[in-house]
Amino acid sequence: MASDPTLSLEDFVAAVAPGSRLIGLDLGTKTIGLALSDLGRGIATPLETIRREKFTLDAAKLLDICRTHKIGGMVIGLPLNMDGTEGPRVQSTRSFTRNLAEKTDLPMTLWDERLSTAAVTRTLIEADRSRARRAELVDKMAAAYILQGFLDRLGYLQLGAGPARRFPTYDDGTED
C-alpha cells in the first residue's frame, strides 16, 4: 500500500507557499464541497460543490480550481467516528488523498470534520432555509466549516500557544 501523502499541521504550514490560499474539501460519496481561505488565511468562504463522477474527472476539476485560485495547499476533512476511531469513510478519504497525490505536488493535510455537516445543517435550519436550498448549500458550507476550524487552529498556534496546548487554561484551572 502507498504511504500516506498527508502532512502534519506543522509540516503542512512549512510546505505551503507564503501568500497563497488554502482550499478546504468536504469529501462525500456524491459530492465534494469546496471552500477557500483568504490570502491572510484567517477566513474561510464556501466556494462550490463538485458533483462526483469518476476520480479522474473529479481530480481534474479540483486541480483546475486550485490553479484558478492559486491554491498553496489542501485541507481535507477526515470523517472520524464520534469515538475517534476510523471507519470506512476514513479509508475512502485516505484513498482519495493517495490517488490525488499522484496528480499534484500541492501539500495536503487532514482535519477532523466530526459534526461539520450536522452543525451546518442546524445553522441552515435555524436560518429557515428550505430542504432543497439546504441540500444545495450544505457541502460547500461544511467545507468552509472544516477549513475555518483549521484556520482558527493556525491562528491560535501563531499566537504562541504551541502544539502541546490545545486550549487556553484560565486562572481558575478550567479549560475553554
Side-chain angles (χ1 to χ4, degrees):
M1 183 188 311
S3 66
D4 184 356
T6 59
L7 302 172
S8 69
L9 185 141
E10 291 81 7
D11 290 343
F12 177 78
V13 170
V16 173
S20 61
R21 296 177 190 272
L22 300 179
I23 192 166
L25 281 72
D26 178 39
L27 296 174
T29 55
K30 297 179 183 177
T31 60
I32 302 172
L34 304 176
L36 282 181
S37 76
D38 62 333
L39 291 172
R41 299 187 193 144
I43 299 171
T45 305
L47 180 63
E48 69 178 86
T49 301
I50 296 174
R51 181 103 9 233
R52 292 191 76 169
E53 298 176 53
K54 289 182 172 181
F55 173 79
T56 305
L57 297 172
D58 300 343
K61 287 179 195 173
L62 175 60
L63 295 177
D64 185 49
I65 290 166
C66 288
R67 281 186 291 279
T68 299
H69 293 282
K70 298 178 177 68
I71 299 300
M74 296 182 194
V75 177
I76 302 166
L78 187 65
L80 295 169
N81 294 326
M82 288 307 294
D83 64 0
T85 60
E86 296 187 5
R89 290 188 58 230
V90 168
Q91 293 170 3
S92 176
T93 298
R94 291 189 188 283
S95 176
F96 182 92
T97 61
R98 280 192 303 273
N99 291 334
L100 189 59
E102 294 174 6
K103 299 186 174 295
T104 184
D105 290 330
L106 283 173
M108 292 181 262
T109 193
L110 298 171
W111 190 252
D112 184 349
E113 71 163 56
R114 281 180 279 187
L115 296 178
S116 61
T117 301
V120 167
T121 300
R122 187 172 45 253
T123 300
L124 290 170
I125 289 169
E126 289 170 2
D128 203 27
R129 298 291 184 210
S130 70
R131 185 179 301 268
R133 185 71 175 136
R134 288 194 309 264
E136 182 182 314
L137 295 173
V138 72
D139 296 313
K140 63 184 176 183
M141 287 185 68
Y145 186 91
I146 292 163
L147 183 56
Q148 190 64 56
F150 180 84
L151 296 174
D152 290 348
R153 180 70 175 137
L154 268 186
Y156 184 72
L157 290 174
Q158 290 169 350
L159 290 174
R165 291 198 45 214
R166 182 164 178 184
F167 298 107
T169 302
Y170 300 102
D171 293 338
D172 64 2
T174 61
E175 292 189 345
D176 155 274

